[in-house]
Amino acid sequence: MISRPITEDDLNAFVDQRLDSVRQAEVAAYLEAHPEVAERVTGYAAQRDDLRALLLPIADEPVPAALNVRHIAERHGRRSRLPWWAAAAAAVLIGFGGAGGWTLRGLSDPPLQGVASLGQEAADNYAVYSPDRLRPVELRAGAGTELADWISTRLGRQVGVPDLEASGYRFMGGRVVATPHGPAALFMYDNDRGMRLVMLSRPMTVDRDIPMQPLSQPAASGFSWAAKGMGYSLVGPADAQALLHPIADEVRRQIGNDV
């Protein structure tokens, strides 16, 4: 018998396993008797897992020094006179930096340009879409003609899809993604071990013809280049740089842009 009504807070706490054993059992019994609610809770759990996978690459990064309370106080010369509300605000910033505020770290940096920007865009989209087990691509490989027409129309350039079967990677499909420099094509591949790669391509206004450049970040690695006004960036897991080099060469060979 349930001691009190099941609330939305109970459902969220159930997903996060933050209820005591008695309440956990009560919620489980309630979900068993209400399959429509159980389906909604299953969706909550899937969203939680997706967020964890997305944030995993930055979860263990240290809090930026600029957000350290002591550094903030010393920088303004008011360490002993820091008001309680300022300390509280700084503490919030620290927590924000440890979870998601880390993404604000580049706001004061000059914007990236050329293939450096292209590589960053590819790495960012890899971090968003490669962990997605529900809908990693907008159109799947079976819709090849529709996908090619859609992407070519959006980019205003004909964009081919490289065949990486000989390298051990199947084409999964693709989508159009937004970048600071306009729309870009994103193609995704995977192998028999579940390892995923993405190739991002878009027209270039800077670095219209430039040789292959390496990209190495905590969450992704790969190579970027540009030829005939189109940029290409092939990225995958952070520890796969050596593996990606010959695959990037194969992509360049297929698209006829071996520069």
Side-chain angles (χ1 to χ4, degrees):
M1 181 176 179
I2 296 177
S3 60
R4 62 182 186 276
I6 302 297
T7 67
E8 194 69 20
D9 287 343
D10 290 322
L11 297 178
N12 283 284
F14 179 84
V15 170
D16 293 332
Q17 298 183 343
R18 295 184 178 276
L19 297 173
D20 59 58
S21 58
V22 173
R23 192 60 170 169
Q24 191 85 2
E26 290 178 347
V27 174
Y30 174 83
L31 294 176
E32 187 174 350
H34 297 80
E36 72 285 355
V37 180
E39 183 177 358
R40 179 156 54 90
V41 169
T42 299
Y44 292 165
Q47 291 174 356
R48 176 203 60 193
D49 293 342
D50 288 346
L51 285 172
R52 284 178 176 173
L54 179 61
L55 296 175
L56 183 62
I58 64 172
D60 295 328
E61 290 194 7
V63 175
L67 298 181
N68 183 284
V69 174
R70 183 174 60 186
H71 290 173
I72 294 173
E74 291 176 350
R75 185 164 60 247
H76 292 283
R78 293 182 291 143
R79 179 177 182 181
S80 62
R81 302 192 306 276
L82 190 65
W84 68 268
W85 52 265
V92 170
L93 285 175
I94 288 176
F96 203 39
W102 169 89
T103 57
L104 301 176
R105 72 197 189 285
L107 290 180
S108 62
D109 298 333
L112 295 174
Q113 297 292 332
V115 292
S117 176
L118 182 76
Q120 183 64 59
E121 293 158 10
D124 289 345
N125 280 282
Y126 174 82
V128 171
Y129 294 114
S130 67
D132 192 333
R133 300 296 157 178
L134 299 178
R135 196 172 185 178
V137 296
E138 187 73 17
L139 290 178
R140 296 195 176 274
T145 302
E146 181 184 357
L147 175 63
D149 290 345
W150 175 42
I151 288 178
S152 297
T153 299
R154 292 300 308 275
L155 269 62
R157 295 282 295 268
Q158 201 67 30
V159 179
V161 180
D163 182 352
L164 301 182
E165 288 279 356
S167 300
Y169 289 85
R170 298 174 295 266
F171 177 55
M172 297 173 61
R175 64 173 70 234
V176 174
V177 297
T179 78
H181 303 89
L186 187 75
F187 301 129
M188 187 175 295
Y189 301 81
D190 71 349
N191 64 11
D192 292 334
R193 298 183 301 279
M195 176 176 163
R196 291 179 172 179
L197 310 178
V198 303
M199 188 190 84
L200 185 139
S201 179
R202 64 166 170 80
M204 303 290 287
T205 56
V206 179
D207 290 347
R208 293 175 57 84
D209 288 275
I210 194 165
M212 185 183 292
Q213 305 290 321
L215 165 75
S216 181
Q217 294 189 359
S221 64
F223 296 88
S224 305
W225 68 95
K228 302 177 183 178
M230 283 293 289
Y232 306 88
S233 187
L234 182 77
V235 301
D239 58 355
Q241 184 119 26
L243 172 68
L244 291 173
H245 200 166
I247 300 176
D249 284 337
E250 174 61 18
V251 172
R252 292 198 307 172
R253 185 191 69 78
Q254 289 189 27
I255 60 180
N257 289 331
D258 191 11
V259 296

